[in-house]
Amino acid sequence: LARLPIVDGIARYIEEDNAPFSMPGHKGGRGFLFTEEGKRLYYNLIRGDITEVEGMDNLHNAEGIIKEASELLSEFYGSKKSYFLVNGSTSGNLAMIFTSFSEGDKIIVERNCHRSIFNGIIMRKLRPIYVKNIISKKYNAPFSIDMEHFFQLLSEHEDVKGIIITYPNYYGVCVDLKIIIEEAKKRKICILIDSAHGAHFGIDEALPESAVNLGADIVVMSAHKTLPSLTQTAYLHAGNNVDIKKLNFYISAFTSTSPSYALLGSMDYARFFLETKGKETYRACLKIAKRYREKINQLEDFHIISNKDINDELNIKGINLDESRYIINVQKGYSGHLLLRYLREKGIQCEMSDELNVVLILSPFNIEADFEKLYQALKTCPMELLVDQFKEVVISELPKMILQPFEVMEKRHKAVKLSEAAGKVCANSIVPYPPGIPLVMPGELLDEESIALIEVLIKQQVTILGVDGDTVLVIE
Ligand SMILES: Cc1ncc(COP(=O)(O)O)c(C=O)c1O
């Protein structure tokens, strides 16, 4: 009998009717059905899945409706020029790296970067210098980059050509970007921002400031993560110092030549939505988020982290949390991964988990019933289901870099057991997914600390790219 595994899988998922606290930002279509304009797109979506037919525009050489919509996008976000991306922030990150740097350039990049940034570093043959993260001792979540380390690196490496920062990180935590941008401008080096999770920033004063407004050179945002836009859609915003000819080339090179108008239309709509309804709906979203955060925080076993918690623990000026995101923390002895699984069984789709936290992405399209479902599930959670041996493995130092990441591509490699890998040079990226942040990069030494952490993650059944069973690839 002919089978349809993917089509069946989609139908099964829809049937579960989970409360949507994950991507995409339209939350199962609600974001389109919210307005008359959105409904028009929603009901035309499949028939609107066309590409450059006569009378429509060409994304790779926009002169008509795409050009007009890009100008509206640029005006709304306050950029010099803005682009629609149909291959996600992944393509935007690659394009901004290729536009801004040349082979062999040294750059400062935070370790807490997405895979696409690291892939760009390898493909463009850059020499990365990593800034350490600050991991909260209380909540075991990455709260910021270590600014002291950042300034130390800047003074030690006067020849860096640019800085790449993730703003916010997956947890919604924002560094003091203003200071970093000022520093970059002072040194006349470029500052690139992966703002995949920040497309809604700046729409209300209660949210963090948009990286575009803060003056970054290039900012990439996933429209699909927080806005009512289809999966895969993203924006790229360029500032005054960017070589537009080069940027046009690289964006085009990393983009399909058959962009769907369904994707393009949804990006146009997401901007329209923010412009016309963004402020009032985000206000309402933050209000209900606060109300339920306070309610959930009265439960003994769960704590949703707030801006105040972060500032109380770190006391570092300028850190800001996007409070349209929930980080639900469990106490040591319980597992964030098991909580995520439990919530899914209760019909609640979260975004991701780590050892002690579960991250939820909220949007104006989450209704009171979603929050109530979450609250009830947490309230009635049998805590014994979440018991896990939390073994804290602290990575005090970043692994030592022996080879540049791009140099590894040309080397011969072999698979070895993790238990025999200590002291060897890793041949690929080892990335727990989510959040997609490399523990070990190609060319770095596999030390005892990293191996211990990988072993813990395997036991906790976390998906780890770059580890096959209990083996890893090392340089021969
Ligand atoms: C920080 C960050 N940057 C970039 C990306 C890639 O975005 P996209 O999935 O839109 O390609 C992600 C995806 O999770 C991300 O979390």
Side-chain angles (χ1 to χ4, degrees), residues 91-340:
S91 68
N93 284 342
L94 294 175
M96 77 175 175
I97 287 173
F98 272 74
T99 302
S100 310
F101 303 120
S102 306
E103 268 188 30
D105 280 356
K106 194 192 263 187
I107 61 161
I108 291 187
V109 55
E110 66 169 297
R111 185 70 175 191
N112 202 352
C113 260
H114 185 258
R115 213 150 69 84
S116 53
I117 297 283
F118 291 106
N119 290 342
I121 288 172
I122 293 174
M123 289 157 70
R124 196 51 161 162
K125 299 190 174 173
L126 304 180
R127 296 168 188 276
I129 301 180
Y130 300 113
V131 189
K132 284 192 263 189
N133 278 102
I134 295 181
I135 309 290
S136 158
K137 288 206 170 58
K138 196 162 170 196
Y139 303 107
N140 197 53
F143 270 179
S144 181
I145 61 171
D146 183 337
M147 289 301 269
E148 219 171 284
H149 188 220
F150 171 75
F151 281 108
Q152 183 198 330
L153 291 178
L154 264 185
S155 63
E156 282 172 7
H157 301 273
E158 290 194 343
D159 52 344
V160 292
K161 294 287 168 41
I163 302 167
I164 307 178
I165 297 288
T166 313
Y167 174 91
N169 67 13
Y170 218 144
Y171 295 76
V173 182
C174 299
V175 289
D176 190 347
L177 194 57
K178 192 159 171 267
I179 291 193
I180 295 177
I181 291 177
E182 275 168 16
E183 209 52 44
K185 302 256 151 153
K186 235 190 272 167
R187 286 162 203 257
K188 296 195 168 45
I189 55 176
C190 68
I191 169 87
L192 310 183
I193 308 298
D194 174 355
S195 196
H197 294 269
H200 58 300
F201 280 10
I203 195 70
D204 185 72
E205 305 83 62
L207 289 165
E209 182 76 271
S210 136
V212 182
N213 277 351
L214 289 171
D217 290 314
I218 303 184
V219 181
V220 172
M221 301 171 169
S222 289
H224 69 95
K225 289 189 182 6
T226 54
L227 307 184
S229 191
L230 293 182
T231 298
Q232 254 180 250
T233 56
Y235 303 137
L236 184 146
H237 308 288
N240 288 325
N241 300 327
V242 179
D243 181 339
I244 294 294
K245 186 166 167 286
K246 228 168 146 186
L247 183 59
N248 286 342
F249 173 80
Y250 284 114
I251 288 180
S252 183
F254 289 117
T255 299
S256 162
T257 50
S258 313
S260 167
Y261 268 90
L263 300 179
L264 292 167
S266 74
M267 282 189 270
D268 196 22
Y269 174 69
R271 185 271 312 153
F272 168 86
F273 178 82
L274 275 188
E275 194 174 322
T276 54
K277 304 233 177 313
K279 194 173 173 73
E280 57 177 292
T281 56
Y282 261 99
R283 280 225 163 142
C285 169
L286 291 171
K287 200 166 155 202
I288 190 168
K290 180 166 185 284
R291 183 152 58 82
Y292 271 91
R293 188 173 63 230
E294 285 166 358
K295 240 175 121 161
I296 290 168
N297 283 354
Q298 291 189 353
L299 303 174
E300 200 180 323
D301 295 303
F302 303 102
H303 182 80
I304 297 181
I305 301 171
S306 67
N307 240 318
K308 184 174 177 306
D309 294 322
I310 295 182
N311 287 307
D312 283 353
E313 183 180 343
L314 296 187
N315 198 18
I316 301 176
K317 207 174 108 293
I319 295 185
N320 202 356
L321 175 70
D322 170 8
E323 290 190 340
S324 73
R325 199 161 279 229
Y326 274 175
I327 313 170
I328 308 179
N329 182 263
V330 293
Q331 286 150 23
K332 288 180 185 158
Y334 297 115
S335 156
H337 300 302
L338 293 178
L339 175 60
L340 178 130

Side-chain angles (χ1 to χ4, degrees), residues 54 58 65 86 102 131 211 222 344 376 401 449 462:
E54 189 61 31
N58 183 341
I65 52 176
V86 293
S102 306
V131 189
S222 289
R344 174 66 187 272
Q376 291 302 335
M401 192 193 287
E449 261 191 358
V462 175

Side-chain angles (χ1 to χ4, degrees), residues 383-401:
M383 290 306 286
E384 62 277 11
L385 277 187
L386 309 189
V387 173
D388 197 19
Q389 294 157 329
F390 171 75
K391 194 169 147 216
E392 193 164 7
V393 184
V394 182
I395 301 288
S396 45
E397 290 299 324
L398 295 174
K400 193 165 171 210
M401 192 193 287

